[in-house]
Amino acid sequence: MIGRLKGILVEKNPPQAVIDVNGVGYEVDVSMQTFYRLPATGEAVQLYTQLVVREDAHLLFGFATADERATFRQLVKVSGIGAKTALGILSAMSADELAQAVAEEDVKRLSSAPGIGKKTAERMVLELRGKLVSAVSDGPAALSAADETDDIVSTLLALGYSEREAKAAVKGLPKGTDVGEGVRLALKNLLK
C-alpha cells in the first residue's frame, strides 16, 4: 500500500493535487481541509494516503494528518458511505468536529455534510460512536475514560437516579477512575 507521499507539489486544483515523488506524479484527491493546508506549487509537501481499489479505478486519497486519514478509514466502513462521500464529509468538517458531532449525537450537524441525509447521519452516530479519536478529547485514553463515565452513569440510572443527578454526580470524578470506584464516589457525591 501507499501510506505516505513526500515530494514536490506540482499541481493543485480542488479537490486534487499532483505530487512529484522522484519523477513520478501521483494524483491525489484531498479534502478541502487538507487542500487549504497545502503549500504553494513547487514546494515540498507530505501527505498521509489511502489507496482505494475499485473495479474501474485505483484512487489515491491524501490527508494532512494521520488523524484525518484514520477518520476517513472509519467513515468508509459505515454502510452507505463510500470514499468520495467520506472525503466530502471531511471537506465539510474537520476530523475533530466530526468526532465531536458523533459523540454529541448531533444528527443535524452530520446531515449538513454533502451527500448525508438524516438516516445516514443516524447510522454514522451508531456505527462510529467511540471509534473516532479527537485531539480535543486527548485521544484514546480520554475515549476509554468517557466509556467508563458512561458505564458509571448507566449504573446510577439502574439504581433509580435521574439522568440529571447521575451526570452531575460523575462530573467531579478524577480521570481514569474505574467503574467500581467511580460508582462508589458518585454515590458519595449524591449523598452529600
Side-chain angles (χ1 to χ4, degrees), residues 77-107:
K77 291 178 184 177
V78 174
S79 175
I81 296 180
K84 293 285 187 179
T85 303
L87 199 64
I89 293 167
L90 289 172
S91 290
M93 62 186 86
S94 70
D96 288 340
E97 292 169 335
L98 178 64
Q100 183 177 2
V102 169
E104 294 173 357
E105 299 182 16
D106 190 350
V107 173

Side-chain angles (χ1 to χ4, degrees), residues 125-142:
V125 168
L126 287 173
E127 294 186 32
L128 294 176
R129 188 179 301 137
K131 294 181 181 176
L132 299 179
V133 176
S134 168
V136 176
S137 71
D138 295 323

